[in-house]
Amino acid sequence: MRERDPALPTTRQPRASLRRSSHSIDVIVLTPRGRQLSVLCLRATDPRARERWHLPSDRSVADEGMEATARRLVHDATGVDPTWLEQVGAFADAAEPTLTPQSGHPAESELSVAYAAVIPKAEDRSSGEQAWFVVHEPPVLPPRQRVMLEAALAAIRQRVDYAPIAFRLLPELFTLSELQRMYELLLGRRLHKASFRRALAAAQLVTPTDEWRSEGRGRPAQYYRFTPRASGAAARSVRFDLL
Amino acid sequence: MRERDPALPTTRQPRASLRRSSHSIDVIVLTPRGRQLSVLCLRATDPRARERWHLPSDRSVADEGMEATARRLVHDATGVDPTWLEQVGAFADAAEPTLTPQSGHPAESELSVAYAAVIPKAEDRSSGEQAWFVVHEPPVLPPRQRVMLEAALAAIRQRVDYAPIAFRLLPELFTLSELQRMYELLLGRRLHKASFRRALAAAQLVTPTDEWRSEGRGRPAQYYRFTPRASGAAARSVRFDLL
DNA sequence: TCAATAGTGTCTGTTAGACATTATGGA
DNA sequence: TCCATAATGTCTAACAGACACTATTGA
């Protein structure tokens, strides 16, 4: 790709950034808020359609690659870099054999490549131009982006057992209860406490520290640290079928 | 997408088929051959580069949708429709910050959407223009397509426990040994016989018939039929951690 | 009889999930 | 004292994997 493209029947493209492609990069930015997982949505710029929302999206794949575009989209919207990012897939509108009146995507791109991104905590920039929505109660989105949101959630739930997504959402030191709550947030269901800790111990994913947390009422909790198994596959693949 | 696209700065597209996009659909066509899983590759048309191979690919997303394009690619190359088809993801060439001398894709498309397809058995059309390669010993492919092949195999292994891929590769009636061999082929590893059958029974995925197979030496095998659990999720999610 | 494949029975170690109990702080 | 949270111990049913065994055909 890029630079030489003599076979293309289109006109020569400007060589630097801001070239518009026929496809877009769309990002599902997720963050924990309270007991819920929330997704970042942007308000339509058109003042006549203030109740139309959409996901961060960009068609200028500026010689930077898809993942870099997704990362930039997250940074521009939230001010921070995602701590985890992964492609979900490519989406077009369902090709109805007879009629497809209008695009299911705000930028009218033929094709959208969706990325799921997570950031630890969102500084509340609810400027009116953007807002966080609980993932199960999103605003009305363009059809294609609604599909992408569901696919992103499914992808995260599938990968959370094998990728350190939960740890990327927590600070360096965390308690096992905090870790479990993060897993529950990502998976969207409750886990069994004893089994959760047994699985963690078996996988040797965390090591205790000397730090303790004492806040609020109950017994202080020990802080743990994430200690991924160096290269060699996880001692056990950490199956959280729990609860 | 399609038809109205007033926002696009490009010239008006011809409305019907054979419109070239900036992205391609590439298909990883897989079929069981003997004890191995094989992938379909096409020979370069350029007579000066007869040892260059590539995956079936098409840039004319002819108002038909990505999946239909993938299906057509399979049909054109093999004469049959795929019995299972699923998107793997979108792939571009790694954006080296400094230089990316040439495309990692034969059609020089910016972006390729990969689909994994399986067909039950390949009528041998090894016309010299195309050939089947054992998946672990593919020919030299364009870099992007090599990545897509590996991703397709990983995707299949991940989904084989939840999607009826193995059954789509077998005839209506099959023996449990045949089914197990198909799973082993797709997963790329041996399974434990007793555990395999226990898991099948627990998941209630198959029901015995009155037919028996008697061919070759050993004891005749009973034929089974695939009986998916109607809608309601599988009684058990059929975990084949076996062996 | 042997070889080859199909299918089953039994045993053992592991583990998920339930449940109960102890531990330790704040109000 | 009571309450809330953390952490651990024990029990049971389920199950994966190993192993051995029986069953049934053709050569």
Side-chain angles (χ1 to χ4, degrees), chain A residues 192 194-195 198 216-220 236 239 241-243:
Chain A
H192 189 270
S195 296
R198 268 193 305 243
R217 299 255 273 176
R219 168 175 171 177
R236 188 94 25 109
R239 295 200 318 221
D241 283 340
L242 328 174
L243 182 119

Side-chain angles (χ1 to χ4, degrees), chain A residues 65-98:
Chain A
M66 299 190 289
E67 189 169 315
T69 302
R71 204 171 291 276
R72 174 170 52 78
L73 279 167
V74 174
H75 191 97
D76 288 352
T78 68
V80 299
D81 282 319
T83 52
W84 187 78
L85 181 71
E86 187 160 303
Q87 189 194 120
V88 176
F91 297 82
D93 299 322
E96 305 293 337
T98 47

